[in-house]
Amino acid sequence: MTEADFLAAVRALPLHPGALGLRDDAARLGRLVLTSDTLVEGVHYLAGDPPGDVAWKLVATNLSDLAAKGAVPVGVMLNYPLRRAAVPPPGDATAGEASPSEGWDSAFLAGLADALTTFAAPILGGDTVSLPAHAPRVITLTALGDAAHAPPRSGAQAGDALWVTGTIGDAGAGLAIAHGQPGPAELLAAYRRPQPQLAAGQALAPQVHAMMDVSDGLLIDAQRMAAASGLAVTIDLAAIPLSDAYRAQAGDTRAARCAAATAGDDYQLLFALAPHRAPAAPATRIGVFASGAGLTLHDAGAPLSLPGALGYQHAG
Amino acid sequence: MTEADFLAAVRALPLHPGALGLRDDAARLGRLVLTSDTLVEGVHYLAGDPPGDVAWKLVATNLSDLAAKGAVPVGVMLNYPLRRAAVPPPGDATAGEASPSEGWDSAFLAGLADALTTFAAPILGGDTVSLPAHAPRVITLTALGDAAHAPPRSGAQAGDALWVTGTIGDAGAGLAIAHGQPGPAELLAAYRRPQPQLAAGQALAPQVHAMMDVSDGLLIDAQRMAAASGLAVTIDLAAIPLSDAYRAQAGDTRAARCAAATAGDDYQLLFALAPHRAPAAPATRIGVFASGAGLTLHDAGAPLSLPGALGYQHAG
């Protein structure tokens, strides 16, 4: 089954009203906000990635969904597979040594401890299961948060300005560094240890009309917010905020800005705010919503055709 | 890492008070009760098991944990892997045909729909990911419930009677039938489609001192309740309630009763109630708590030594 077919079938099941039709990043249960992410080895991370960073990113991506709802983290549930050690062939001299899996689990837990402590998100529960040797790990984290005002993804209004927190493209540049390209630790850290924008989300939630996090790419996520709100959105590529480190690494050309706007993994907050209103957290105004549909791009006024890919398209 | 080592390491992370030290079946967040179970193909179910029954059982086991807390189901989150179809060799005549995975996913969803409708547990959210071809499926369901009084596993008092709802051993006999032994559909259904005791749990919760569900085996679970409560428990094997179908299938010998009491998968409720108090739901009195420690077994007064295995011991 394709993901689209599966999601359509799940939407035909009995849905809780708080599921918001499974069209938002998080579910609502009174003040409680719930979100869940599953990572698959070889799909969402590579077997050779540092396990502590895998854990950090799993926590950070979940908390980023809470940040987009202006929520304060309450706790997390962890569903973790302990892979059985492969049975060594008889007479293998390495028999009796600690398996590589042992080190992976410990390093994962160390990264988890870092992230949970940094973001004040304690463990609430979960499940530990055993996994056959050689099977790819499948790790699930579910995060719960508390929010008085949880803005939807779909609430942008015609005339609203589109804003984004922080800088865009650093994680994309960090991914290239993780793949072996030379570059500064700062960009690699943006990819490996993203920072969920919890404080900004809490400050912004009461004033914005719509908010979501930038996970798959600024352009594709902005297009999704516009589509969910039944509106068109126009973005000024020249306005997209780049870090000094990104400019030093990739330049400040149109191509470099386009790469930043489609790279994903930023975990900044994208939000719609009434015109002439100042945001309650540092952010950059990058576009405007209007009646209609679709995404239009320009570069300081010069019309641009859209890049072939606006961001990461989920196969799953 | 062993499950025990892993759990000890997780307990050393920042824990939410509602996690109850990760020593109960469910976490508490105000009135909210949270529980999560992960199934691994080849570990918790076999690739050849009917997918609809795998889905039903995943829902039922989670809701059974809610039942043990006297909770009314609120909703569930589903984390589901869509396995990629294996690429057929070039020129393979079956290319273009629906993959077997397609049928599995659809049948899983049909069983899920049955269970969620039967137990009024709507979908709240979750995640869908893609899984490499041939990787074992790892499926997580997290259930949320609402409970005014959630009895702990650890609250039994010396002198309390130990009670159990329904009948014990049916699912164990059903497992043997699933493995090919002849037997009635009723016992197979007890294994494949267990019924979480939600109504009984809700009726019992305000009056019991401790409650948990029987998942791994009556004896091992009773021993766990006694240990969590810092008490000893004595069980009368002759009092353990057997169904007519179980007696017809397995007999009513001491060995048959012992098999029933150690088989697991019953998903009945085990609870501690003050002496001379009548339970608010149909149940059978099978034992008594006393100061001390450990499990003692007798057969209508005749002392019995404990069987070698009291139930299913989690490797994970």
Coordinates of all heavy atoms in Angstrom, one line a residue, chain A residues 104-163:
Chain A
W104 N 25.8 0.7 20.9 CA 24.7 1.5 20.2 C 23.7 1.9 21.2 O 23.3 3.1 21.3 CB 24.2 0.7 19.0 CG 23.7 1.7 18.0 CD1 24.4 2.0 16.8 CD2 22.4 2.3 17.9 NE1 23.6 2.9 16.1 CE2 22.4 3.1 16.7 CE3 21.3 2.4 18.7 CZ2 21.3 3.9 16.3 CZ3 20.2 3.2 18.3 CH2 20.2 3.9 17.1
D105 N 23.1 0.9 22.0 CA 22.1 1.2 22.9 C 22.5 2.2 24.0 O 21.8 3.2 24.3 CB 21.6 -0.1 23.6 CG 21.0 -1.1 22.6 OD1 20.4 -0.6 21.6 OD2 21.1 -2.3 22.9
S106 N 23.7 2.0 24.5 CA 24.2 2.9 25.5 C 24.4 4.3 25.0 O 24.0 5.3 25.7 CB 25.6 2.4 26.1 OG 25.4 1.2 26.6
A107 N 25.0 4.5 23.8 CA 25.2 5.8 23.2 C 23.8 6.4 22.9 O 23.7 7.7 23.0 CB 26.1 5.6 22.0
F108 N 22.9 5.6 22.4 CA 21.5 6.2 22.2 C 21.0 6.8 23.5 O 20.4 7.9 23.5 CB 20.6 5.1 21.6 CG 19.2 5.5 21.4 CD1 18.8 6.1 20.1 CD2 18.2 5.5 22.4 CE1 17.6 6.5 19.9 CE2 16.9 5.9 22.1 CZ 16.6 6.4 20.9
L109 N 21.1 6.0 24.6 CA 20.5 6.5 25.8 C 21.2 7.7 26.3 O 20.6 8.6 26.9 CB 20.7 5.3 26.9 CG 19.6 4.2 26.8 CD1 20.0 3.1 27.7 CD2 18.2 4.7 27.1
A110 N 22.5 7.8 26.1 CA 23.3 9.0 26.5 C 22.7 10.3 25.7 O 22.5 11.3 26.3 CB 24.8 8.9 26.2
G111 N 22.5 10.1 24.4 CA 22.0 11.2 23.6 C 20.5 11.6 24.1 O 20.1 12.7 24.1
L112 N 19.8 10.5 24.4 CA 18.4 10.7 24.9 C 18.4 11.5 26.2 O 17.6 12.4 26.4 CB 17.8 9.3 25.1 CG 16.3 9.3 25.4 CD1 15.5 9.7 24.1 CD2 15.8 8.0 25.9
A113 N 19.3 11.1 27.1 CA 19.4 11.8 28.4 C 19.7 13.3 28.1 O 19.1 14.2 28.8 CB 20.5 11.1 29.2
D114 N 20.7 13.6 27.3 CA 21.1 15.0 26.9 C 19.8 15.7 26.5 O 19.6 16.8 27.0 CB 22.0 15.0 25.7 CG 23.5 14.8 26.1 OD1 23.7 14.7 27.3 OD2 24.3 14.8 25.2
A115 N 19.1 15.2 25.5 CA 18.0 15.9 24.9 C 16.8 16.1 26.0 O 16.3 17.2 26.1 CB 17.5 15.2 23.7
L116 N 16.5 15.0 26.7 CA 15.4 15.1 27.6 C 15.7 16.1 28.8 O 14.8 16.8 29.3 CB 15.1 13.7 28.2 CG 14.6 12.7 27.2 CD1 14.3 11.4 28.0 CD2 13.4 13.2 26.4
T117 N 17.0 16.1 29.2 CA 17.4 17.1 30.2 C 17.4 18.5 29.7 O 16.8 19.4 30.3 CB 18.8 16.7 30.7 OG1 18.8 15.4 31.1 CG2 19.2 17.6 31.9
T118 N 18.0 18.7 28.5 CA 18.0 20.0 27.8 C 16.6 20.6 27.7 O 16.4 21.8 27.9 CB 18.7 19.9 26.5 OG1 20.0 19.4 26.6 CG2 18.8 21.3 25.8
F119 N 15.6 19.8 27.3 CA 14.3 20.3 27.0 C 13.3 20.0 28.0 O 12.1 20.3 27.8 CB 13.9 19.8 25.6 CG 14.9 20.2 24.5 CD1 15.5 19.2 23.8 CD2 15.2 21.5 24.2 CE1 16.4 19.5 22.8 CE2 16.1 21.8 23.2 CZ 16.7 20.8 22.5
A120 N 13.7 19.5 29.2 CA 12.9 19.3 30.3 C 11.6 18.5 29.9 O 10.5 18.8 30.2 CB 12.4 20.6 31.0
A121 N 11.9 17.3 29.3 CA 10.9 16.4 28.8 C 11.1 15.0 29.5 O 11.8 14.2 28.9 CB 10.8 16.3 27.3
P122 N 10.5 14.8 30.6 CA 10.8 13.5 31.3 C 10.1 12.3 30.6 O 9.1 12.5 29.9 CB 10.2 13.7 32.7 CG 9.1 14.7 32.5 CD 9.6 15.6 31.4
I123 N 10.6 11.1 30.9 CA 10.0 9.9 30.4 C 8.7 9.6 31.2 O 8.7 9.6 32.4 CB 11.0 8.7 30.7 CG1 12.3 8.9 29.8 CG2 10.3 7.3 30.4 CD1 12.2 8.3 28.5
L124 N 7.7 9.2 30.4 CA 6.4 8.9 31.0 C 6.1 7.4 30.9 O 5.4 6.8 31.7 CB 5.2 9.6 30.2 CG 4.7 10.8 30.8 CD1 3.8 11.5 29.8 CD2 3.8 10.5 32.1
G125 N 6.7 6.7 29.9 CA 6.5 5.3 29.7 C 6.9 4.8 28.4 O 7.8 5.5 27.8
G126 N 6.4 3.7 27.9 CA 6.8 3.2 26.6 C 6.8 1.7 26.6 O 6.1 1.1 27.4
D127 N 7.7 1.1 25.8 CA 7.7 -0.3 25.7 C 9.1 -0.7 25.2 O 9.7 0.1 24.4 CB 6.7 -0.9 24.7 CG 6.4 -2.4 24.9 OD1 6.9 -3.0 25.9 OD2 5.7 -3.0 24.1
T128 N 9.7 -1.8 25.7 CA 10.9 -2.3 25.2 C 10.7 -3.7 24.7 O 10.1 -4.5 25.3 CB 12.0 -2.4 26.4 OG1 12.0 -1.1 27.0 CG2 13.3 -2.7 25.9
V129 N 11.1 -3.9 23.4 CA 10.9 -5.2 22.8 C 12.2 -5.7 22.3 O 13.2 -5.0 22.1 CB 9.9 -5.1 21.6 CG1 8.5 -4.7 22.1 CG2 10.4 -4.1 20.6
S130 N 12.2 -7.0 22.0 CA 13.5 -7.6 21.4 C 13.3 -7.7 19.9 O 12.1 -7.9 19.4 CB 13.9 -8.9 22.1 OG 13.3 -10.0 21.4
L131 N 14.3 -7.5 19.2 CA 14.3 -7.5 17.7 C 15.3 -8.5 17.2 O 16.4 -8.7 17.8 CB 14.8 -6.1 17.3 CG 14.5 -5.6 15.8 CD1 13.0 -5.4 15.6 CD2 15.3 -4.3 15.5
P132 N 14.9 -9.2 16.1 CA 15.9 -10.2 15.6 C 17.2 -9.6 15.2 O 17.2 -8.4 14.8 CB 15.2 -10.8 14.4 CG 13.7 -10.5 14.6 CD 13.7 -9.2 15.4
A133 N 18.3 -10.3 15.4 CA 19.6 -9.8 14.9 C 19.5 -9.4 13.4 O 18.7 -10.1 12.7 CB 20.6 -10.9 15.1
H134 N 20.1 -8.4 13.0 CA 20.2 -7.9 11.6 C 18.9 -7.2 11.2 O 18.9 -6.6 10.1 CB 20.5 -9.0 10.6 CG 21.7 -9.8 11.0 ND1 22.9 -9.3 11.2 CD2 21.8 -11.1 11.3 CE1 23.8 -10.2 11.5 NE2 23.1 -11.3 11.7
A135 N 17.8 -7.2 11.9 CA 16.6 -6.4 11.5 C 16.9 -4.9 11.7 O 17.5 -4.6 12.7 CB 15.4 -6.9 12.3
P136 N 16.4 -4.1 10.8 CA 16.6 -2.6 11.1 C 15.8 -2.2 12.3 O 14.7 -2.6 12.5 CB 16.1 -2.0 9.8 CG 15.3 -3.0 9.1 CD 15.7 -4.4 9.6
R137 N 16.5 -1.3 13.1 CA 15.8 -0.8 14.3 C 14.7 0.1 13.8 O 14.8 0.9 12.9 CB 16.8 0.1 15.1 CG 17.8 -0.7 15.9 CD 18.6 0.2 16.8 NE 19.5 -0.6 17.6 CZ 20.8 -1.0 17.2 NH1 21.2 -0.6 16.1 NH2 21.5 -1.7 18.0
V138 N 13.6 0.1 14.6 CA 12.4 0.9 14.4 C 12.1 1.5 15.7 O 11.7 0.8 16.6 CB 11.2 0.2 13.8 CG1 10.0 1.1 13.7 CG2 11.5 -0.5 12.5
I139 N 12.3 2.9 15.9 CA 12.2 3.5 17.2 C 11.1 4.5 17.2 O 11.1 5.4 16.3 CB 13.6 4.2 17.6 CG1 14.8 3.2 17.3 CG2 13.6 4.7 19.0 CD1 16.1 3.9 17.5
T140 N 10.2 4.5 18.2 CA 9.1 5.4 18.2 C 9.2 6.3 19.5 O 9.5 5.8 20.6 CB 7.8 4.7 18.2 OG1 7.6 4.1 16.9 CG2 6.6 5.6 18.5
L141 N 9.0 7.6 19.3 CA 8.9 8.5 20.5 C 7.6 9.2 20.3 O 7.3 9.7 19.2 CB 10.1 9.5 20.5 CG 10.2 10.2 21.9 CD1 11.1 9.4 22.9 CD2 10.8 11.6 21.7
T142 N 6.8 9.3 21.4 CA 5.6 10.0 21.4 C 5.8 11.1 22.5 O 6.2 10.9 23.6 CB 4.4 9.1 21.8 OG1 4.4 8.0 20.9 CG2 3.1 9.8 21.8
A143 N 5.5 12.4 22.1 CA 5.7 13.5 23.0 C 4.3 14.1 23.4 O 3.4 14.2 22.5 CB 6.6 14.5 22.4
L144 N 4.2 14.5 24.6 CA 3.0 15.2 25.1 C 3.3 16.5 25.6 O 4.4 16.7 26.3 CB 2.3 14.3 26.2 CG 1.7 13.0 25.8 CD1 2.8 11.9 26.0 CD2 0.5 12.7 26.6
G145 N 2.5 17.5 25.3 CA 2.8 18.9 25.7 C 1.5 19.5 26.2 O 0.4 19.0 26.0
D146 N 1.6 20.6 26.9 CA 0.5 21.4 27.4 C 0.5 22.8 26.7 O 1.5 23.5 26.7 CB 0.7 21.6 28.9 CG -0.4 22.4 29.6 OD1 -1.6 21.9 29.6 OD2 -0.2 23.5 30.0
A147 N -0.7 23.1 26.2 CA -0.8 24.4 25.5 C -2.2 25.0 25.7 O -3.2 24.3 25.6 CB -0.6 24.2 24.0
A148 N -2.2 26.3 26.1 CA -3.5 27.0 26.2 C -4.0 27.3 24.9 O -5.2 27.2 24.6 CB -3.2 28.2 27.1
H149 N -3.2 27.9 24.0 CA -3.6 28.2 22.6 C -2.7 27.4 21.7 O -1.5 27.6 21.6 CB -3.3 29.7 22.3 CG -3.8 30.6 23.3 ND1 -3.0 31.0 24.4 CD2 -5.0 31.3 23.4 CE1 -3.7 31.9 25.1 NE2 -4.9 32.1 24.6
A150 N -3.3 26.5 20.9 CA -2.6 25.7 20.0 C -3.0 26.1 18.6 O -4.0 25.7 18.1 CB -2.8 24.2 20.2
P151 N -2.2 26.9 17.9 CA -2.6 27.4 16.6 C -2.6 26.2 15.6 O -1.7 25.4 15.7 CB -1.5 28.4 16.2 CG -0.4 28.1 17.1 CD -0.9 27.5 18.3
P152 N -3.6 26.2 14.7 CA -3.6 25.1 13.7 C -2.6 25.4 12.6 O -2.1 26.6 12.5 CB -5.0 25.2 13.2 CG -5.4 26.6 13.3 CD -4.7 27.1 14.5
R153 N -2.4 24.5 11.7 CA -1.6 24.7 10.5 C -2.5 25.5 9.5 O -2.0 26.1 8.6 CB -1.2 23.3 9.9 CG -0.6 23.3 8.6 CD -0.5 21.9 8.0 NE 0.5 21.2 8.7 CZ 1.2 20.2 8.0 NH1 1.0 19.9 6.8 NH2 2.2 19.6 8.6
S154 N -3.8 25.4 9.6 CA -4.7 25.8 8.6 C -5.4 27.1 8.8 O -6.4 27.5 8.1 CB -5.9 24.7 8.5 OG -6.5 24.7 9.8
G155 N -4.9 28.0 9.7 CA -5.6 29.2 10.0 C -5.2 30.5 9.4 O -5.7 31.5 9.7
A156 N -4.2 30.4 8.4 CA -3.8 31.6 7.8 C -4.9 32.4 7.1 O -5.9 31.7 6.6 CB -2.7 31.3 6.8
Q157 N -4.9 33.7 7.1 CA -5.9 34.5 6.5 C -5.3 35.3 5.3 O -4.1 35.7 5.4 CB -6.6 35.4 7.5 CG -7.2 34.6 8.7 CD -7.7 35.5 9.8 OE1 -7.9 36.7 9.7 NE2 -8.0 34.9 10.9
A158 N -6.1 35.6 4.3 CA -5.6 36.4 3.2 C -5.1 37.8 3.8 O -5.8 38.4 4.6 CB -6.8 36.6 2.2
G159 N -4.0 38.2 3.3 CA -3.4 39.4 3.8 C -2.3 39.2 4.9 O -1.5 40.0 5.2
D160 N -2.4 38.0 5.6 CA -1.4 37.7 6.6 C 0.0 37.7 6.0 O 0.2 37.3 4.9 CB -1.7 36.3 7.2 CG -2.8 36.3 8.3 OD1 -3.3 37.4 8.6 OD2 -3.1 35.2 8.8
A161 N 0.9 38.1 6.9 CA 2.3 37.9 6.5 C 2.8 36.5 6.9 O 2.3 36.0 7.9 CB 3.2 39.0 7.1
L162 N 3.8 36.0 6.1 CA 4.4 34.7 6.4 C 5.8 35.0 7.0 O 6.6 35.8 6.4 CB 4.6 33.9 5.2 CG 5.3 32.5 5.4 CD1 4.5 31.6 6.2 CD2 5.7 31.9 4.0
W163 N 6.0 34.5 8.2 CA 7.3 34.7 8.9 C 8.0 33.4 9.2 O 7.3 32.3 9.3 CB 7.0 35.4 10.3 CG 6.4 36.7 10.2 CD1 5.1 37.0 10.0 CD2 7.0 38.0 10.5 NE1 4.9 38.4 10.0 CE2 6.0 39.0 10.4 CE3 8.3 38.3 10.8 CZ2 6.3 40.3 10.6 CZ3 8.6 39.7 11.1 CH2 7.6 40.7 10.9

